Amino acid sequence: MHAGKVPSLLLKNARQVLTLAGPSEPRRGRALQELGIIRGGGVLIQGGKIAAAGSSRTVEARARALKAEAIDCRGCVVMPGFVDSHTHLVFAGARLDDFERKIQGKSYEQIARAGGGIQLSARQVSETKLGALAAQADAFLNRMALHGTTTVEAKSGYGLDVANELKQLEALAMLRRRAALEIVPTLLAAHALPGKFSGRREKYLRTVEVELIPRVAKRKLAEFADCFCDREAFTVAECRSVLATARRFGLVPRIHTGQFARAGGIRLAIEVAAASADHLDHATTPDIRALARSNVTATLVPGANFHLGLDRFPPARRMIDAGVAVALATDFNPGTSPTLNMQFVLSLACAYLRMSPAEAIVASTANAAYSLRRSHRLGSLEPGKDADVIVMDVDDYRAIPYYAGWNHCAMTIKRGQIVCSRMKHHA
Ligand code: NIG
Ligand code: FE
């Protein structure tokens, strides 16, 4: 879009503006609590970028010269849009039978062996046409925007063969061209061994490395490559090989690991300089120390623990205190985390990970942006950055996780454009 065509906007009179001003590096330790709050502040948006964030008086003077449209944010919190850095956005149906089996006491892995799980989602994806997959993902994106998310990482991983993994990524490519939100595509071919390759693990992984990764890279269908390094998924050696090939083709590694057992994936993430290691419920103290010395973001997804009804949560407190760059994401998927509401994830992080509201906000904006290699452009309200801004109808940021399960988002702005709003004069 031509920058000059985007009208200038002034968000004024906010009770709190959370600028999150700070370096584009991962926020660790005490820096994870620094929201850069301006009380009685405003944000000026010009050409899709942040022009200024400061006291209402300062920004109003500049806004007058630009004839910016003013939006009164009295009683509200203005902050960066959420960056949901781990989702499985493209799927073709809920797994409601799995849900009931889980309630009856079956484990995630037992459900998978009984014909549910990832294989069921893969069957559903294979039976669904590209257009229908994209349409459903588009509907999810609209709902994410209503809840304040402005950037979404989205993985394949329910295709589990060349054609269907490509189909998932093609659906994302269609949406990248037309959706209001920013989509960051990730290839997750090493998610589960497809049923038809049972007993022939190497054959499947060879297809991924020899055929799929080169095709995905050539067509620029993904920026990242992920793998599921866990008990009953793929081994460290298998994931190392897939991620090394992906890296050679320009795809930056991410890893799902330590969800069900300590599988060695954290060390692998550090070894291959992954952008992120996700889940990490089984991280040990030496794992935490090693993570703290690295630039691998620890992306925690408590929505999955919650929905699986687990007692165990990742050791977030110990991670933050040790200096790990922690991020939060929904892990939105039909099996383990059917929530797409980042505000609810913040509530879970406060209740179960013992993160403070401020830490939860930094983890779901600035650090999530860093893990997607976008912290120079996203994750804080600073001059020159993209104007990805949300207005929350609470007068104290701590109320966002406190009133759990609500939707506090009154307006979502992506690159300076109002994507959705329920503010009075924008109803
Ligand atoms: O992040 N752990 C593996 N992958 C997903 C679950 C996928 C599924 O069950 O469909 C996760 O939790
Ligand atoms: Fe996941």
Side-chain angles (χ1 to χ4, degrees), residues 370-392:
Y370 176 80
S371 93
L372 295 181
R373 300 293 182 255
R374 281 162 167 73
S375 57
H376 57 291
R377 184 162 66 70
L378 306 178
S380 65
L381 304 182
E382 297 178 271
K385 285 201 168 182
D386 284 9
D388 290 9
V389 190
I390 56 177
V391 182
M392 307 297 271

Side-chain angles (χ1 to χ4, degrees), residues 169 176 184-188 216-217 219-225 249-252:
L169 294 176
R176 271 150 68 207
V184 183
T186 296
L187 172 69
L188 173 59
V216 167
R219 293 176 58 195
K220 295 193 173 13
L221 286 172
E223 273 180 52
F224 293 93
F249 281 89
L251 305 178
V252 178

Side-chain angles (χ1 to χ4, degrees), residues 86 88 95 108 118 121 158 191 228 256 259-260 279 304 331 333-336:
H86 179 150
H88 305 251
R95 301 216 303 258
Y108 180 71
I118 296 170
S121 289
Y158 293 132
H191 193 196
F228 188 14
H256 279 72
Q259 184 179 10
F260 300 107
H279 287 279
D331 193 11
N333 77 74
T336 63

Side-chain angles (χ1 to χ4, degrees), residues 76-103:
C76 291
V77 168
V78 173
M79 59 177 279
F82 292 114
V83 176
D84 192 349
S85 55
H86 179 150
T87 86
H88 305 251
L89 179 72
V90 183
F91 58 87
R95 301 216 303 258
L96 300 174
D97 294 335
D98 287 11
F99 184 44
E100 290 201 308
R101 285 184 194 130
K102 188 217 70 186
I103 294 165

Side-chain angles (χ1 to χ4, degrees), residues 66-275:
L66 286 172
K67 296 197 172 58
E69 180 191 349
I71 296 168
D72 192 356
C73 299
R74 199 167 307 219
C76 291
V77 168
V78 173
M79 59 177 279
F82 292 114
V83 176
D84 192 349
S85 55
H86 179 150
T87 86
H88 305 251
L89 179 72
V90 183
F91 58 87
R95 301 216 303 258
L96 300 174
D97 294 335
D98 287 11
F99 184 44
E100 290 201 308
R101 285 184 194 130
K102 188 217 70 186
I103 294 165
Q104 288 155 8
K106 298 278 185 292
S107 74
Y108 180 71
E109 288 146 313
Q110 283 170 326
I111 291 167
R113 283 195 291 268
I118 296 170
Q119 306 288 346
L120 173 57
S121 289
R123 266 202 308 286
Q124 291 170 328
V125 163
S126 74
E127 288 159 6
T128 305
K129 292 211 164 69
L130 172 63
L133 274 182
Q136 195 195 62
D138 202 15
F140 292 145
L141 287 170
N142 290 336
R143 224 174 253 269
M144 288 173 160
L146 286 167
H147 288 86
T149 297
T150 47
T151 300
V152 182
E153 186 263 10
K155 304 171 197 300
S156 66
Y158 293 132
L160 303 183
D161 63 30
V162 172
N164 285 294
E165 285 289 310
L166 288 174
K167 184 167 74 178
Q168 282 193 285
L169 294 176
E170 283 160 1
L172 291 171
M174 282 172 72
L175 294 173
R176 271 150 68 207
R177 286 192 290 273
R178 70 171 195 234
L181 301 194
E182 182 167 346
I183 300 165
V184 183
T186 296
L187 172 69
L188 173 59
H191 193 196
L193 186 69
K196 57 181 181 257
F197 283 90
S198 166
R200 296 184 301 143
R201 307 174 66 80
E202 315 75 46
K203 176 102 176 65
Y204 176 63
L205 292 172
R206 209 174 316 123
T207 308
V208 169
E209 290 188 40
V210 173
E211 202 178 330
L212 185 53
I213 290 174
R215 285 175 70 175
V216 167
K218 182 146 189 261
R219 293 176 58 195
K220 295 193 173 13
L221 286 172
E223 273 180 52
F224 293 93
D226 200 338
C227 61
F228 188 14
C229 183
D230 215 315
R231 191 175 71 197
E232 304 202 23
F234 293 99
T235 65
V236 169
E238 289 167 340
C239 292
R240 179 184 286 117
S241 177
V242 170
L243 295 178
T245 301
R247 177 69 91 180
R248 274 202 304 284
F249 281 89
L251 305 178
V252 178
R254 315 181 78 80
I255 298 186
H256 279 72
T257 195
Q259 184 179 10
F260 300 107
R262 182 167 186 264
I266 294 179
R267 298 314 175 96
L268 177 62
I270 296 167
E271 178 191 319
V272 302

